[in-house]
Amino acid sequence: GRALAVRCAAYRNHIKPKLRTLTMPPPQSTNSTPPCSLPISFPHIPIGHPDTMMSKESVRRAVEDFRVRPSDVLVAVREASRNERDMPVDCLIPFLLVLFHSYRAKPLNASFRLRSLKTFPKTGTTLVTWIAHQLRTGGDLSFDTLYDVVPWPLLSWDIGVDPNVDGNAHSPRVFKSHLRMASAYRGCKYVVTIRAPSKVGLSFYNFFLAKKVPLALEMDVNEFVMNTPFVKGREGRASLWDYYAEYDMLKDCSAVLVLVYEDLVNDAKTSIEMLAKFMGISYNEELINEVVGMSTKEYMAAHNDKFDEPYDRAKELGRAGDLSQLAPGHKVAVNNHPQTLNVTTRDFLNENWRETMEPLGYQDYEAFANSFRDINRNRYFPSS
């Protein structure tokens, strides 16, 4: 963590100022879709095998066959890959990738690598994907599962979806993925979400409980946070704080929108309007209010079946790497998580924050979140 923090600080202080002219200016209107880019020096890490749930063939097809277009939106959670010469790998936080119609982008990960690694859901991916779909459709419930209208390229072959075709029904196209920023298709716009580390741990643990994953059933939440790699990371698997440090590397890149999860919940209207502007969607007050209403926990929980993976279809096809991970399990919880983190676990989270994030200038999560709140306010609501 400290090594990555040092690298990120060096990038921010010495390299990033030279690259500001290479990044995209803020959007001028909701109807404009300016070209976008990541800094040319931003590291590239080839796509690995992100999750044991998906087959190697499905991942291969996503890497070699899937192509993005310039008005696409891709919502992703965490993926892991490994390249010892680059930064620590893998991701924990979901991000939204928006591509704009101007050219046919090609992934940089030409060499296909397979690695058996885990993913990190439950940090806002379902919420952001849902919001993006409702913004582009004006409120649509005509689908059986969100995966049919928001394909997940890395899993698509396993569930009988062709992301190059099935994503075309709406504009902009929306996709889900587990790609980290360094592994994403270039020439894109990205939305990532951040969330308080304690809530990330609780959410992940309860997601596993809902799926009846034995690992979670055999330990309490404090053991889960401190003794499994899903939050703290391990060799070849970046921690939550490493991933936040990567966001810090891109904070001046206007091709990246960082949404604060707590604001998506507590100030949904502002966050949804911001996302609409970033996606280049023309909107009015009526659309924003409708999407706000459809994005409450209560509304989404009433439609929990829309967010399940198509388990029966995957079972019939017999392609998935681990079918059990596609079993139905509520992704939207109305009630607060019943568990609490003890003092030892809170100290563990704070120590990891101090090691990786304090060298970047963030004393705590709130300071980190406020930095992106300020950036977003200046970019998307400059007159307010």
Side-chain angles (χ1 to χ4, degrees), residues 278-296:
F278 188 76
M279 292 173 64
I281 293 176
S282 298
Y283 65 88
N284 54 31
E285 192 78 5
E286 181 181 0
L287 174 62
I288 297 299
N289 288 338
E290 182 173 5
V291 176
V292 168
M294 296 181 72
S295 302
T296 64

Side-chain angles (χ1 to χ4, degrees), residues 20 24 38 44 63 70 86 108 123 167-168 181 224 229 235 261 282 303 311 340 359-360 377 384:
R20 285 175 180 164
M24 183 183 62
L38 294 177
H44 164 64
V63 172
D86 286 319
L108 295 180
T123 50
N168 294 336
M181 293 294 293
F224 179 85
E235 183 182 358
Y261 177 84
S282 298
H303 298 85
Y311 176 81
T340 57
L360 300 178
R377 187 180 305 112
S384 60

Side-chain angles (χ1 to χ4, degrees), residues 22-273:
L22 299 175
T23 57
M24 183 183 62
Q28 300 301 309
S29 73
T30 60
N31 294 317
S32 63
T33 55
C36 45
S37 66
L38 294 177
I40 57 176
S41 67
F42 190 71
H44 164 64
I45 299 174
I47 298 174
H49 191 185
D51 196 325
T52 54
M53 80 165 66
M54 52 198 63
S55 68
K56 294 181 179 181
E57 175 62 16
S58 194
V59 177
R60 184 197 67 77
R61 287 170 180 256
V63 172
E64 298 182 2
D65 299 338
F66 175 60
R67 292 294 180 268
V68 296
R69 296 179 189 169
S71 68
D72 296 350
V73 177
L74 187 144
V75 180
V77 291
R78 170 183 180 175
E79 177 191 280
S81 56
R82 185 169 182 177
N83 186 331
E84 289 78 6
R85 296 173 298 174
D86 286 319
M87 308 166 50
V89 299
D90 190 276
C91 330
L92 284 172
I93 305 303
F95 64 86
L96 181 70
L97 163 62
V98 185
L99 311 135
F100 292 87
H101 285 297
S102 61
Y103 62 92
R104 183 182 178 89
K106 184 176 181 179
L108 295 180
N109 45 285
S111 60
F112 177 62
R113 299 184 180 184
L114 289 177
R115 302 293 164 99
S116 179
L117 301 154
K118 305 291 184 180
T119 61
F120 193 111
K122 297 305 293 176
T123 50
T125 309
T126 299
L127 177 59
V128 177
T129 307
W130 175 258
I131 290 172
H133 179 64
Q134 302 310 330
L135 280 172
R136 67 178 180 171
T137 62
D140 172 43
L141 295 174
S142 63
F143 53 91
D144 292 328
T145 172
L146 196 57
Y147 291 87
D148 290 333
V149 291
V150 182
W152 184 357
L154 289 170
L155 184 66
S156 288
W157 186 75
D158 291 343
I159 59 175
V161 171
D162 182 349
N164 287 313
V165 176
D166 295 322
N168 294 336
H170 305 282
S171 180
R173 300 194 305 174
V174 179
F175 298 97
K176 174 180 176 178
S177 176
H178 280 294
L179 297 176
R180 65 172 293 162
M181 293 294 293
S183 298
Y185 297 87
R186 300 300 169 100
C188 311
K189 294 182 70 179
Y190 310 81
V191 177
V192 297
T193 65
I194 60 174
R195 191 177 186 182
S198 60
K199 297 298 184 182
V200 170
L202 284 167
S203 182
F204 202 169
Y205 177 73
N206 280 274
F207 175 77
F208 272 8
L209 287 181
K211 289 276 189 178
K212 295 181 171 58
V213 176
L215 177 70
L217 297 175
E218 295 167 359
M219 61 178 65
D220 69 13
V221 66
N222 295 288
E223 292 177 280
F224 179 85
V225 172
M226 295 184 62
N227 298 330
T228 70
F230 302 111
V231 175
K232 71 174 185 177
R234 65 185 178 203
E235 183 182 358
R237 184 186 186 97
S239 71
L240 173 61
W241 305 277
D242 292 335
Y243 200 55
Y244 281 175
E246 183 172 321
Y247 289 165
D248 178 70
M249 294 175 68
L250 296 169
K251 67 184 301 182
D252 290 336
C253 177
S254 55
V256 179
L257 169 63
V258 179
L259 292 174
V260 179
Y261 177 84
E262 289 80 5
D263 295 346
L264 277 168
V265 175
N266 299 321
D267 185 14
K269 186 172 183 179
T270 298
S271 298
I272 290 171
E273 185 176 352

